[in-house]
């Protein structure tokens, strides 16, 4: 498959929604019984097309209700006190997969979304390095993704915890860049290593000059700050070429 075809396959499952009635008990049981799946979105280099890493994405296919979209069960986890369990589940599963890939000769970075509910908890400064060591994954091969909106809600404690994780060598990615209101402020306050440009600025950009101008500005900022830039949502050859 070409790189853009790989993205297209995964995005088709990522944007679906569900009107199913799910509750805390069903999600808690799925976590306890390890029935959630973790799928992996490939991160592909533009200079050659090789896969250099993956992003871990939680997926839930309930035996009774069927496929339940992340935009339904992730907010449920955060509302019902299951965000920590979900984050740990995805992190442990992804690190286990990364360890297997390393044994097979594939040195891939793995990116995991951090729930906004755990940013203020200093225990995660200990938990994340401990899990990485258990699986034999170097800190610089783990990227922790944080959305702009979650940073806006969590201030001093969260910033201190994230700074400590960065000092320990973990990558920090500001996710969905451009969709919030505090992007530049957060980039100035935290030592991010990666800027992930939201797919709303990528999809169809090849045919939209105004969108290209915003994209060019974001890429220029990433270069000036020496950040890795990630274009999220490449789904056709025209956008890939751009």
């Amino acid at each position: 498959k070409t790189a853009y075809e790989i993205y297209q396959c995964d995005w088709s499952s990522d944007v679906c929604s569900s009107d199913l009635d799910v509750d805390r008990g069903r999600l808690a049981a799925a976590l306890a019984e390890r029935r959630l799946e973790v799928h992996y979105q490939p991160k592909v280099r533009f200079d050659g097309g090789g896969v250099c890493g993956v992003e871990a994405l939680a997926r839930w296919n309930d035996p009774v209700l069927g496929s339940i979209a992340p935009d339904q069960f992730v907010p449920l986890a955060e509302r019902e006190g299951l965000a920590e369990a979900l984050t740990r589940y995805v992190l442990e599963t992804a690190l286990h997969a990364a360890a297997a890939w390393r044994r097979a000769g594939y040195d891939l970075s793995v990116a995991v979304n951090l729930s906004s509910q755990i940013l203020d908890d200093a225990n995660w400064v200990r938990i994340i390095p401990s899990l990485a060591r258990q699986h034999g994954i170097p800190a610089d091969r783990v990227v922790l993704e944080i959305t702009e909106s979650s940073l806006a809600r969590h201030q001093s404690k969260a910033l201190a915890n994230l700074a400590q994780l960065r000092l320990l060598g973990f990558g920090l990615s500001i996710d969905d860049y451009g969709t919030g209101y505090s992007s530049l402020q957060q980039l100035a306050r935290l030592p991010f290593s990666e800027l992930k440009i939201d797919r709303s600025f990528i999809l169809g950009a090849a045919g939209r000059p105004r969108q290209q101008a915003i994209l060019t500005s974001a890429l220029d900022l990433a270069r000036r700050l020496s950040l890795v830039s990630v274009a999220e949502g490449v789904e056709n050859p025209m956008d890939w070429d751009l």
Side-chain angles (χ1 to χ4, degrees):
K1 292 184 178 182
T2 61
Y4 62 86
E5 286 173 336
I6 294 174
Y7 274 93
Q8 190 173 41
C9 289
D10 191 79
W11 278 115
S12 64
S13 63
D14 194 39
V15 298
C16 61
S17 61
S18 172
D19 295 325
L20 298 173
D21 184 22
V22 294
D23 57 25
R24 185 188 193 281
R26 189 178 292 275
L27 178 56
L31 286 168
E33 297 166 10
R34 304 191 68 81
R35 286 192 279 107
L36 266 68
E37 297 179 347
V38 177
H39 292 192
Y40 299 96
Q41 171 85 27
K43 298 173 77 172
V44 181
R45 293 185 62 91
F46 283 105
D47 56 348
V51 176
C52 57
V54 298
E55 178 187 357
L57 302 168
R59 293 291 182 265
W60 183 12
N61 190 28
D62 186 82
V64 175
L65 300 179
S67 180
I68 301 171
D71 62 6
Q72 187 168 10
F73 71 79
V74 172
L76 172 66
E78 295 188 339
R79 288 195 309 269
E80 300 294 338
L82 294 173
E84 181 174 344
L86 177 60
T87 300
R88 183 159 188 152
Y89 179 92
V90 174
L91 182 60
E92 288 181 333
T93 304
L95 289 173
H96 179 79
W101 295 328
R102 288 178 70 83
R103 290 193 297 270
Y106 300 103
D107 181 21
L108 301 176
S109 66
V110 59
V112 178
N113 290 280
L114 286 190
S115 168
S116 62
Q117 298 292 314
I118 69 171
L119 292 180
D120 289 340
D121 188 350
N123 287 328
W124 283 89
V125 178
R126 173 185 54 81
I127 292 171
I128 293 173
S130 176
L131 291 175
R133 286 193 299 270
Q134 288 176 29
H135 290 87
I137 306 300
D140 64 359
R141 307 308 287 154
V142 180
V143 180
L144 307 172
E145 295 193 356
I146 306 98
T147 62
E148 291 184 53
S149 57
S150 64
L151 282 174
R153 294 193 301 269
H154 300 263
Q155 293 299 321
S156 57
K157 289 183 180 179
L159 296 175
N161 293 337
L162 291 171
Q164 287 189 59
L165 287 167
R166 185 72 186 105
L167 287 172
L168 291 172
F170 292 91
L172 290 184
S173 176
I174 185 162
D175 197 6
D176 301 336
Y177 177 79
T179 60
Y181 299 98
S182 55
S183 308
L184 297 178
Q185 182 187 47
Q186 303 303 348
L187 285 170
R189 297 176 69 184
L190 269 175
F192 283 99
S193 57
E194 180 179 288
L195 187 149
K196 191 173 180 184
I197 305 168
D198 187 72
R199 67 190 302 262
S200 63
F201 299 106
I202 304 297
L203 186 59
R208 298 171 182 167
R210 292 176 65 86
Q211 203 166 317
Q212 289 180 34
I214 296 171
L215 177 57
T216 300
S217 175
L219 292 172
D220 183 60
L221 178 64
R223 291 190 189 98
R224 289 175 181 272
L225 295 177
S226 299
L227 303 177
V228 172
S229 55
V230 178
E232 184 175 38
V234 176
E235 296 185 5
N236 61 65
M238 291 78 71
D239 290 341
W240 170 271
D241 290 341
L242 172 69

